[in-house]
Amino acid sequence: MGTISVIIPSLNDAGFLSACLDALARQARPADEVIVVDNGSTDATVEVARAAGARVVTQPVHGIWPATAAGFDAASGDVLARLDADSVPGPGWLAEVERRMSLPDRPTVVTGTGVFYGGTGPRRWIARNLYIGGYFVVIGALLGHPPVYGSNYAMRADAWLELRDLVHRDRADVHDDLDLAWWLRPGMTVVHDRALVVGVSARPFDSLPEISRRVRMAFHTLGVEWRAWPPMRRRIERRRARPVASDAASGTMLAEVADVNPEGDAPLAA
């Protein structure tokens, strides 16, 4: 399939980052490149990254989107795999990214979800079923395809070259994953791969103010996207770009792919 770069934005997350990088070092399919984007850390983030053999990119503009975009720009891989500093991928994570990206439908983005650790049981349940579950159901219905989950996804590098000047990459006040999913061009597809799961810290759900901040930011992001590319117009333009099988053989292949991944966009022929 080609090479895979893993991009991890980090701000004062040395402890979590150490666990994330340790998990990446145990991958059955090793990363070809690991990039940690230091977003102005004052702790040991840079030292931890370099000790693990990661390449460090500095982004002084604060925000997950500015940091992530800087990492994508710096990456050399054919596929850009994205984790948060508190993500803990299992040993088969990159192998699953490679497997799913290599199937005949050739998705633009493959996204998974997270199993939360830390916090209390009720908070983990809320995070998994209401916050993340609601995100996939509600935003998926609005987009017409699965959304992208920022702590766990992979995207083709050539798609980023098309998207990098369209997304709101310099804004810290929008959710980067929702913004990326919104601006996928007609013909680009997203597949929700249920086998692509990582551990994610439940710390954002430790307090009501933090939960409230995230929800407000989600509505703000939707407002930004809605005004720039209204959802009905977006869905119509994307639908027009979907390929139509031209013969029985290609039709059979597309049907087989669709059965494997019922939650993705209409698959693209190889």
Side-chain angles (χ1 to χ4, degrees):
M1 185 193 69
T3 55
I4 303 177
S5 297
V6 179
I7 292 86
I8 309 167
S10 182
L11 172 61
N12 293 329
D13 267 334
F16 285 108
L17 179 63
S18 179
C20 178
L21 293 174
D22 185 56
L24 282 174
R26 297 195 300 270
Q27 293 295 300
R29 193 282 188 207
D32 297 286
E33 176 183 47
V34 177
I35 295 176
V36 172
V37 184
D38 175 35
N39 204 201
S41 300
T42 56
D43 67 355
T45 288
V46 172
E47 290 78 8
V48 166
R50 287 178 176 156
R55 176 184 169 197
V56 176
V57 171
T58 300
Q59 171 55 281
V61 179
H62 280 197
I64 291 181
W65 217 174
T68 298
F72 286 167
D73 285 346
S76 61
D78 301 306
V79 169
L80 311 178
R82 166 79 159 79
L83 293 171
D84 280 331
D86 62 2
S87 300
V88 182
W93 181 67
L94 279 177
E96 178 61 18
V97 167
E98 184 171 60
R99 183 199 71 81
R100 189 60 193 85
M101 283 290 204
S102 299
L103 290 182
D105 59 329
R106 293 183 54 78
T108 306
V109 179
V110 173
T111 188
T113 56
V115 174
F116 289 88
Y117 63 85
T120 64
R123 285 174 180 167
R124 290 194 300 271
W125 187 92
I126 290 172
R128 172 89 179 186
N129 295 283
L130 299 183
Y131 188 80
I132 301 302
Y135 174 64
F136 271 86
V137 171
V138 175
I139 302 302
L142 186 63
L143 293 173
H145 60 75
V148 176
Y149 178 50
S151 299
N152 178 16
Y153 71 90
M155 170 178 58
R156 298 188 186 277
D158 55 0
W160 173 244
L161 294 179
E162 290 189 54
L163 296 167
R164 63 184 304 276
D165 295 324
L166 295 174
V167 298
H168 297 89
R169 55 177 292 155
D170 296 324
R171 296 185 64 161
D173 63 336
V174 299
H175 283 295
D176 58 306
D177 45 7
L178 176 52
D179 188 53
L180 177 67
W182 198 282
W183 288 98
L184 291 174
R185 309 318 298 151
M188 292 183 177
T189 58
V190 181
V191 166
H192 178 195
D193 182 354
R194 294 184 181 276
L196 198 67
V197 180
V198 301
V200 181
S201 173
R203 58 180 173 163
F205 304 93
D206 285 344
S207 68
L208 286 176
E210 178 60 21
I211 296 174
S212 176
R213 183 191 71 81
R214 286 175 171 259
V215 172
R216 290 197 309 272
M217 188 170 169
F219 279 102
H220 172 70
T221 303
L222 283 173
V224 170
E225 314 298 1
W226 207 294
R227 290 188 294 271
W229 195 10
M232 287 305 298
R233 190 176 79 201
R234 179 188 183 278
R235 293 187 69 162
I236 291 171
E237 291 175 4
R238 284 178 53 81
R239 190 178 298 117
R240 287 173 179 165
R242 287 180 174 177
V244 177
S246 59
D247 54 51
S250 60
T252 300
M253 183 203 74
L254 292 177
E256 289 173 351
V257 173
D259 288 339
V260 173
N261 298 283
E263 293 186 294
D265 264 359
L268 296 177

